[in-house]
């Protein structure tokens, strides 16, 4: 029985090929968007997570200002030396690194460029950077403390000083420094275009003595992270209140796990947004199916009359139309999945071949994504066919037969 | 006395269009015996097609009762009527009413689909029926490739697929020439010989020669036989 409906439906779809394809296309657009964007964002998710998980779990960030307010990072709020001391004094803290940055003019072989420069205590920070943050050089050597050596970010030899090599000298504020090595990518473009100085050199160049928008803290091995965080918080609180008064104490201490959670949330919101917009696209496609099916019912009124005259019941008639709209939905979904996967692959290729981009993404198309896309396009197809099918099944056979 | 196969009791059909009531059938009383060949004769607008529709379970009366094999079909639901039509009644229409995207064989087999007959059985039956009406060579043709007479023979084969007791036809010769028309009428005569009840609606007086009973209708009322 159902085989007949299927055959009949396929024949009807083929008969009105252009209209059928246009209707199917309406569903393709939505499912294409779902599949391509979700698999890319899944890839992004995985890549970012891998990046974050490379950071040791015993690393904690201290930021001045309220929460993860981005403006606090650029708004000039800084942790001063007394506050760094307070962090270092806290129980459980092994190392606390300042990480100030600014824009400076640099000269290399007579060329002057502005670039982001960053200060890091290479003496205390060496093992944190290498072991906990995963920093490494791709060329040359890691810079040593007190030798006026700097590290160039991965993209510096390409975007800032084309041709820069380890061993080259650069001049900043009249001081000569040696580029000891080129770093591997740190995971984001801004950092990869920056030049890293030993903290004392950075202070000399910038003429500052203190202040950092962020502190990277390593907790002693075996010390409870949450306990260490509350120690830091208590210690900072006391110091800040003493210095700035009651209202002055605002900062956040974030563990790398909390950071992962935060990023997960953000990516979750992005995915929800993608799904929401793609759903609207699919819904529009579903309205297209409904329109097509209503037209089909009107065009085939006489046919419905004939079928009823020769013994078709309501359920037979409605099945014929439901199967047809279901097939349209499923076909649209399947084509959306195929083109979506292809587009995701293509996107992956484009991203991989563009070194300017943050991270390389590998498109992820989990089984559930494909299954759900197919299932929902089929379901939507059936749902949009429901009203037209009902209308068809309720036609009076005598009236339908007389319809021209 | 034997129960009549079809019995109409004070059947009225009234169409309501806005304020106007159109009485198409006005209290028809009629009995038709099994195995008879009946011609319903009347001018256009006389209500003869409506009468046929009501008798063949395609339409329901506004008032009155229709009995088929003693069962009051005016009380049946739409789906029950569909089942009754599918099992007991074969339809032949003036304009053939074949599905143009199906082959002759598929058109003939179609009513059996709704009676859940297996595909194998459907193909066998419809193939035999097409042989019987002389269309063995035309089974895979779509209606567009068939002549008017061939189309009507396909339609007759279709009406017989579920082996109905009654075959009704509305102007079956209306769209074909006289010679083809008489061929078609002889098929109906053969069917009567096989024991089926034949009811044909027409305004063509010449068809009455095939019938063993002629019922005349005018303005929704039967004239004396």
């Amino acid at each position: 029985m159902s085989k007949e409906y299927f055959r009949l439906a396929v024949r009807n779809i083929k008969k009105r090929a252009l209209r059928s394809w246009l209707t199917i296309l309406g569903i393709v657009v939505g499912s294409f968007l779902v599949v391509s964007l979700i698999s890319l964002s899944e890839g992004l998710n995985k890549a970012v997570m891998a990046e974050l998980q490379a950071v040791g779990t015993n690393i904690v960030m201290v930021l001045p200002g309220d929460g993860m307010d981005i403006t606090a990072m650029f708004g000039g709020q800084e942790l001063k030396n007394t506050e760094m001391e307070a962090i270092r004094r806290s129980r459980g803290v092994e190392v606390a690194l300042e990480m100030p940055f600014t824009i400076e003019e640099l000269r290399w072989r007579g060329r002057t460029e502005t670039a982001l420069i960053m200060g890091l205590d290479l003496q205390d920070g060496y093992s944190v950077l290498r072991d906990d943050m995963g920093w490494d050089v791709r060329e040359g050597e890691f810079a040593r403390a007190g030798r006026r050596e700097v590290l160039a970010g991965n993209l510096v030899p390409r975007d800032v000083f084309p041709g820069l090599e380890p061993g080259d000298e650069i001049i900043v504020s009249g001081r000569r420094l040696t580029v000891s090595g080129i770093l591997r990518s740190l995971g984001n473009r801004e950092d990869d275009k920056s030049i890293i100085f030993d903290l004392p050199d950075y202070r000399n160049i910038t003429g500052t003595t203190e202040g950092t928008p962020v502190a990277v803290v390593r907790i002693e091995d075996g010390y409870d992270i949450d306990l260490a965080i509350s120690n830091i918080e208590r210690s900072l609180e006391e110091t800040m209140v003493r210095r700035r008064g009651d209202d002055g104490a605002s900062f956040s201490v974030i563990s790398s796990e909390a950071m992962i959670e935060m990023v997960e949330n953000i990516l979750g919101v992005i995915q929800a947004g993608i799904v929401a917009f793609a759903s609207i696209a699919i819904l529009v496609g579903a309205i297209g199916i409904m329109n097509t099916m209503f037209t089909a019912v009107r065009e085939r009124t006489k046919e419905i009359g004939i079928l009823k005259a020769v013994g078709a019941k309501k359920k037979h008639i409605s099945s014929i139309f439901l199967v047809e709209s279901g097939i349209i939905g499923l076909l649209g979904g399947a084509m959306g999945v195929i083109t979506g996967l292809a587009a995701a692959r293509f996107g992956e290729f484009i991203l991989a071949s563009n070194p300017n981009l943050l991270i390389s993404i590998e498109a992820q198309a989990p089984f559930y994504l494909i299954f759900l896309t197919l299932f929902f396009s089929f379901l939507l197809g059936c749902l949009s066919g429901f009203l037209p099918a009902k209308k068809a099944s309720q036609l009076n056979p005598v009236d339908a037969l007389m319809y021209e | 006395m034997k129960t009549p196969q079809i019995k109409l009791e004070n059947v009225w059909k009234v169409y309501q269009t806005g304020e106007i009531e159109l009485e198409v059938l006005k209290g028809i009383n009629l009995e038709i015996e099994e195995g008879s060949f009946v011609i319903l004769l009347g001018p256009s607008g006389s209500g003869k097609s409506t009468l046929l529709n009501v008798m063949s379970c395609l339409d329901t009366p506004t008032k009155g009762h229709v009995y088929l094999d003693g069962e009051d079909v005016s009380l049946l639901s739409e789906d029950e009527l569909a089942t009754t039509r599918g099992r007991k009644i074969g339809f032949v229409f003036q304009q053939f009413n074949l599905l143009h995207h199906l082959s002759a064989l598929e058109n003939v087999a179609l009513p059996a689909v709704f009676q859940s007959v297996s595909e194998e059985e459907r193909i066998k039956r419809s193939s035999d029926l097409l042989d019987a009406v002389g269309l063995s060579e035309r089974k895979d043709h779509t209606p567009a490739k068939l002549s008017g007479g061939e189309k009507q023979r396909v339609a007759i084969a279709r009406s017989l697929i579920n082996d109905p007791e009654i075959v009704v036809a509305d102007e079956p010769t209306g769209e074909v020439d006289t010679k083809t028309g008489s061929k078609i009428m002889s098929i109906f005569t053969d069917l009567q010989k096989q024991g089926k009840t034949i009811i044909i609606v027409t305004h063509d007086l010449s068809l009455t020669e095939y019938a063993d009973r002629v019922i005349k209708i005018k303005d929704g009322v039967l004239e004396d036989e």
Side-chain angles (χ1 to χ4, degrees), chain B residues 62-73:
Chain B
T62 313
K63 209 172 81 181
H65 295 276
V66 178
Y67 298 92
L68 192 64
D69 293 325
E71 186 189 13
D72 188 351
V73 293

Side-chain angles (χ1 to χ4, degrees), chain A residues 83-117:
Chain A
E83 283 138 11
M84 287 306 296
E85 282 313 312
I87 296 170
R88 291 191 178 108
R89 270 202 314 274
S90 313
R91 291 201 55 172
V93 172
E94 188 188 335
V95 192
L97 296 178
E98 294 168 67
M99 233 175 157
F101 54 82
T102 186
I103 306 278
E104 273 294 337
E105 279 197 343
L106 300 116
R107 274 178 65 206
W108 170 75
R109 291 190 188 167
R111 281 186 60 167
T112 305
E113 292 290 341
T114 52
L116 187 71
I117 67 166

Side-chain angles (χ1 to χ4, degrees), chain A residues 247-258:
Chain A
D247 299 336
S250 74
F251 56 86
S252 18
V253 185
I254 304 155
S255 69
S256 60
E257 273 169 10

